Amino acid sequence: MLQMNRSAQLQYLNRKLLAEMPQYREQAAAFPPDDASQRQLLRSLMNVRPPMPLDPAFLAVQDALLSAEREERGVVDGDCLPASSDPRLVLWQGDITRLQADAIVDADNSALLGCFVPCHSCIDNAIHSAAGLQLREECWRLMQAQGHPEPNGRAKLTKGYNLPARYVLHTVGPIVRSRVTEQDRAELAGCYRSCLELAAEHGLRSVAFCCISTGEYHFPNQAAAEIAVKAVTDFLDQRAASIKRVIFNVFKDLDADIYRRLLQSD
C-alpha cells in the first residue's frame, strides 16, 4: 500500500474519508479528477473530519503522502538560521510548517481541535493539515481529559507527527473586540510565557512562535510584536532553561518589518 503513486494515494484517502463521512459525497463529486483538485478535496475532508478512531492503514498512506510533501516543500533547519543582535533570537519569514525546530507554536481557538473550515488560510489549519489527523486526535484526548475549553494564555504540548518540528505547542490568544485592554496584553504575554515554560519543562532547545492573536483575532501587529519580544526576552533572562533559540516566524512583510526593527534595537 505504501508503494502507491500520488494519484492512487489521493484516491484511496478520499475514498476512506468519504466512507466515514458520506454526507460530503455530493460535494466531493464536484471536484475534478486531477491530482491538484483531489488534493484540495483531501485537505477539505481532513479539515472537517471530527475526532474519531483512526485506521492504521489510512494513517500509513496519509503519512507517506504528507512526508513526501514535506520533503518537496523543503525543510528549513531552525538551528542554521542567522540570529539577531541577541544570539538567542531569530527572525524568519516563511511557512512555519517547513520549520525544523524542537517545537512550533500553533495559535488555536479554545476548543484546541484545529480549524474545521475547509482549506482555510489560518495557521491553525495549515499546521493540522501538514501534521495529519493524528494531531486533532491527540488534541481531542487532551481536551477530553481537561473537561473544559482551553483558557487564554495557557499552553499544551503534542507531538508534531508529519511536521519537521518534533512537537507543537498549542496556545489560545486573546481576541481584541474594539481596543486592546490590559487583560488582552496580559493574556498575550501569558501565551509566550506558558509556551516557553512548557518547552523548558520538556527540555526543548528551540521554539518557533507564530504571530499569536494578530490577523483574525485583531491584535494590532506592532503591539503584539512588542509584547512577544519582551515576554520572550524576560523569560530567557530570568530562567536558566534549556531553551537556546527562539524563532519569531512571520508570514507577512508587515510583521517582518516590525520584528526586524524590534530585534535590531534589542
Side-chain angles (χ1 to χ4, degrees):
M1 192 173 292
L2 293 180
Q3 302 304 313
M4 293 178 179
N5 63 26
R6 183 67 54 84
S7 295
Q9 288 174 329
L10 294 171
Q11 292 169 12
Y12 172 84
L13 295 171
N14 284 333
R15 186 167 62 250
K16 294 285 282 187
L17 290 174
L18 287 170
E20 291 182 326
M21 302 180 292
Q23 66 270 31
Y24 294 111
R25 282 178 178 164
E26 184 175 348
Q27 292 164 276
F31 284 77
D34 62 280
D35 283 359
S37 299
Q38 290 300 300
R39 184 62 183 89
Q40 184 181 22
L41 172 60
L42 175 60
R43 178 168 176 174
S44 300
L45 291 172
M46 289 172 67
N47 291 161
V48 299
R49 183 187 187 272
M52 50 185 164
L54 293 164
D55 178 6
F58 175 93
L59 290 180
V61 178
Q62 176 212 249
D63 291 353
L65 173 67
L66 294 181
S67 61
E69 291 180 341
R70 178 188 65 222
E71 299 308 312
E72 290 165 7
R73 289 194 302 273
V75 173
V76 176
D77 187 346
D79 287 341
C80 296
L81 295 173
S84 66
S85 56
D86 184 334
R88 305 169 299 179
L89 306 180
V90 174
L91 171 63
W92 184 68
Q93 184 174 13
D95 178 359
I96 201 169
T97 67
R98 297 178 57 205
L99 199 52
Q100 181 177 303
D102 282 347
I104 61 171
V105 174
D106 184 12
D108 294 76
N109 59 47
S110 62
L112 223 69
L113 296 179
C115 174
F116 282 82
V117 180
C119 299
H120 193 250
S121 60
C122 69
I123 194 166
D124 196 14
N125 191 299
I127 288 174
H128 275 262
S129 296
L133 290 177
Q134 301 98 313
L135 184 57
R136 178 167 285 170
E137 179 70 16
E138 184 176 358
C139 288
W140 179 80
R141 292 197 303 270
L142 288 172
M143 296 307 290
Q144 288 295 109
Q146 178 167 283
H148 59 80
E150 183 74 355
N152 291 0
R154 302 278 293 279
K156 283 188 168 53
L157 184 78
T158 66
K159 295 177 183 178
Y161 298 100
N162 292 290
L163 294 162
R166 292 168 56 203
Y167 298 99
V168 178
L169 285 157
H170 304 263
T171 192
V172 182
I175 300 174
V176 175
R177 304 296 180 183
S178 55
R179 61 180 182 83
V180 178
T181 66
E182 287 306 309
Q183 181 176 347
D184 293 333
R185 293 178 178 275
E187 289 178 349
L188 183 58
C191 290
Y192 288 90
R193 188 167 53 252
S194 296
C195 286
L196 292 173
E197 287 172 351
L198 193 52
E201 286 175 17
H202 286 79
L204 306 189
R205 295 184 67 258
S206 59
V207 176
F209 283 99
C210 61
C211 299
I212 302 166
S213 276
T214 59
E216 293 192 10
Y217 278 21
H218 308 300
F219 211 109
N221 300 65
Q222 178 74 35
E226 291 171 358
I227 290 168
V229 172
K230 185 178 188 307
V232 168
T233 53
D234 285 351
F235 180 91
L236 296 178
D237 288 344
Q238 295 166 11
R239 290 278 300 271
S242 61
I243 302 166
K244 305 301 179 186
R245 171 162 284 216
V246 172
I247 302 166
F248 294 106
N249 168 249
V250 300
F251 194 74
K252 298 177 180 178
D253 290 341
L254 168 65
D255 292 309
D257 290 340
I258 291 170
Y259 273 95
R260 193 174 294 114
R261 289 193 298 270
L262 290 172
L263 296 179
Q264 285 174 349
S265 63
D266 188 49

